[in-house]
Amino acid sequence: MKVPTLSNEPVPTRATGSPTDTGTATDTATEPDNAIEPDSGLVARAAALRPLIRERAEEGSREGRVVPDVIRALEEQGLLRLTVPHRYGGHGADSRTLVDVLAGLARGDGSTAWTAMLLNIGNWFATTWPVRVQDEIWGDTPDARCCAILAPSSTARKADGGCLVSGRWPYASGSFAATHAITGFLVPQDDGSSRAAVGLFHPGQWSIERSWFPVGMRGTGSDTVVIDEVFVPDHRIQYFDDLVAGDYATELRDTDVRSRAPFLPTGTVIFGAIQVGLGRAALDLAVERLRSKGVVGSVYTRARDSPVHQTAVAEALSKIDAAELLVHRSCRDIDESAATGVYPDELARARVRNDTGTVVTLVHEAVDRLLKAAGSGSFLETSPLSRIFQDVGMAGSHVHATPAIAAEVYGRLLLGADGGLTVQV
């Protein structure tokens, strides 16, 4: 393995002003001068929905799915067609806009943001298919939505002009609000080997089995997609290795900027967005509690006057800000790649994954510090902070967000280790 040349020069920064909740000074991060700016209107729409999302979050957790009123509000504000191409009535949003919207939604409720995340990224995955497939999805409505489970959970049978697919795909987040499903499967090859592929399935070709009963992210509806002997034609199948390499089936790569963004980085940075939003939500609630809370057994009658609690809040915010900066750096890399048409090499793609893992670590540390500062009442089942604590842990366990896996593959590339990569990036 060739040892890569590293280029991580410091970048000048400037202040930003993203939408904030009144009275909560939690948006203090800075951005590189060459950052691609998000669509502020879409980000503001997410912020405006936060009161409704917070109000219905606990109900969604009990139901195991985001409640219909919230899904309808997201739909009406166009926040479930962020990545649908402009030509179908979508927003064609870049990664920076997508992650800022998702972080804004997660500041209201993790499950709501996670559901929006998977539906929007499923739609973006679909833009890598040929135009005829995209026409089949969005030709009649921009509100068609794809859930996606890329893991090859079954082996297809070759048939004339396509494959026959059967199987079960768990963890299909947002599937309850999807019209189409993208699932992974193995396709037998003529030499006896198999290749991982993904196929797109239309309404009526798949069903949902309720199977999602976790301790965190309970409202994501990450149930099991079931497909029984469905024929999927070749034009709705792509091989996973081709997608990882940016060799997409769409004919529009030269004209549609978003359809040539790097595949796995685009589908990975979004997990960091959820963490940042949850971290800011925890900070909002902890600061509110600490401003009026006492400190039992201490000379401080108010926690806000206690240096221990002041330090906890300051350090937590610094970690959340650092996490957001890493997310935005990854977005810059992804969006610049799409804009220039230069597909990033393995090292650049691995850095996005490692940044995402680092974000998970930073936010976990921040939220843990905030809850301990806010006191044992924060861990009660009735406390929104308790739900955030569980959501942060659950969301950070996704394979594309796991810090150790990300660090291992990034380190292999940095050191030029012998042998191939242990995971694709």
Side-chain angles (χ1 to χ4, degrees):
M1 179 181 294
K2 183 180 178 181
V3 178
T5 301
L6 305 184
S7 178
N8 286 314
E9 296 296 326
V11 180
T13 58
R14 58 177 170 73
T16 59
S18 54
T20 63
D21 284 348
T22 302
T24 307
T26 58
D27 296 278
T28 59
T30 57
E31 296 303 323
D33 278 342
N34 60 344
I36 295 175
E37 292 296 328
D39 184 321
S40 59
L42 291 173
V43 176
R45 293 185 197 183
L49 289 179
R50 206 139 54 220
L52 171 65
I53 291 170
R54 283 175 174 163
E55 178 186 344
R56 307 303 295 278
E58 183 57 35
E59 183 181 351
S61 290
R62 291 195 303 270
E63 294 293 324
R65 296 175 171 181
V66 179
V67 298
D69 285 353
V70 172
I71 292 294
R72 188 159 45 249
L74 294 171
E75 185 178 70
E76 290 172 352
Q77 292 300 315
L79 301 184
L80 297 182
R81 47 186 166 91
L82 294 171
T83 57
V84 174
H86 290 293
R87 63 185 179 277
Y88 297 113
H91 296 293
D94 56 29
S95 285
R96 176 59 191 274
T97 298
L98 179 59
V99 302
D100 282 3
V101 168
L102 294 174
L105 295 175
R107 199 163 170 175
D109 173 49
S111 290
T112 299
W114 190 275
T115 299
M117 175 184 76
L118 266 296
L119 292 172
N120 277 299
I121 204 62
N123 284 347
W124 181 78
F125 290 155
T127 67
T128 68
W129 261 270
V131 172
R132 66 182 290 194
V133 176
Q134 298 180 48
D135 287 344
E136 292 171 4
I137 300 170
W138 298 299
D140 293 329
T141 173
D143 290 318
R145 297 186 283 267
C146 301
C147 62
I149 321 97
L150 302 182
S153 299
S154 74
T155 299
R157 290 187 290 115
K158 294 293 288 288
D160 289 341
C163 291
L164 283 169
V165 178
S166 294
R168 299 160 58 82
W169 288 263
Y171 312 120
S173 303
S175 52
F176 66 95
T179 55
H180 296 69
I182 297 171
T183 69
F185 47 84
L186 298 175
V187 178
Q189 304 295 297
D190 293 339
D191 63 0
S193 64
S194 296
R195 289 184 72 187
V198 289
L200 189 139
F201 297 84
H202 286 307
Q205 295 183 323
W206 57 283
S207 60
I208 300 172
E209 179 182 283
R210 296 300 294 267
S211 58
W212 184 243
F213 308 104
V215 296
M217 287 292 182
R218 288 176 289 178
T220 62
S222 302
D223 294 309
T224 298
V225 163
V226 180
I227 297 174
D228 185 17
E229 285 294 286
V230 173
F231 176 76
V232 56
D234 286 331
H235 73 273
R236 285 198 268 122
I237 298 174
Q238 293 194 78
Y239 285 107
F240 192 70
D241 288 342
D242 293 338
L243 292 169
V244 171
D247 185 12
Y248 308 148
T250 178
E251 307 92 334
L252 301 179
R253 283 195 60 185
D254 292 337
T255 57
D256 184 355
V257 170
R258 295 311 307 160
S259 70
R260 60 175 182 248
F263 189 76
L264 284 179
T266 301
T268 297
V269 69
I270 53 178
F271 296 102
I274 303 299
Q275 293 288 325
V276 169
L278 286 169
R280 294 208 182 280
L283 188 66
D284 291 340
L285 292 169
V287 167
E288 179 182 4
R289 179 173 168 82
L290 287 168
R291 283 175 175 164
S292 58
K293 178 183 180 297
V295 185
V296 177
S298 166
V299 298
Y300 296 103
T301 59
R302 296 180 301 186
R304 71 187 189 191
D305 297 323
S306 161
V308 170
H309 294 83
Q310 294 163 356
T311 301
V313 170
E315 292 182 350
L317 177 55
S318 293
K319 289 177 183 292
I320 296 165
D321 279 348
E324 184 176 75
L325 288 170
L326 286 174
V327 169
H328 287 170
R329 180 176 75 167
S330 291
C331 289
R332 180 198 66 198
D333 293 347
I334 293 165
D335 291 337
E336 286 184 352
S337 169
T340 61
V342 178
Y343 205 77
D345 61 16
E346 283 186 329
L347 178 63
R349 299 189 325 250
R351 188 173 84 168
V352 172
R353 184 157 183 164
N354 189 65
D355 282 356
T356 303
T358 304
V359 166
V360 169
T361 298
L362 288 169
V363 173
H364 282 208
E365 291 172 352
V367 171
D368 182 69
R369 187 77 184 272
L370 286 168
L371 265 75
K372 287 175 180 173
S376 57
S378 303
F379 293 91
L380 297 176
E381 288 186 357
T382 54
S383 170
L385 277 166
S386 175
R387 185 177 66 250
I388 292 170
F389 183 77
Q390 292 170 318
D391 286 352
V392 164
M394 190 74 184
S397 70
H398 192 282
V399 66
H400 283 286
T402 306
I405 295 174
E408 186 268 344
V409 70
Y410 191 43
R412 286 183 67 83
L413 287 165
L414 289 172
L415 294 177
D418 294 334
L421 297 184
T422 52
V423 296
Q424 292 173 302
V425 293

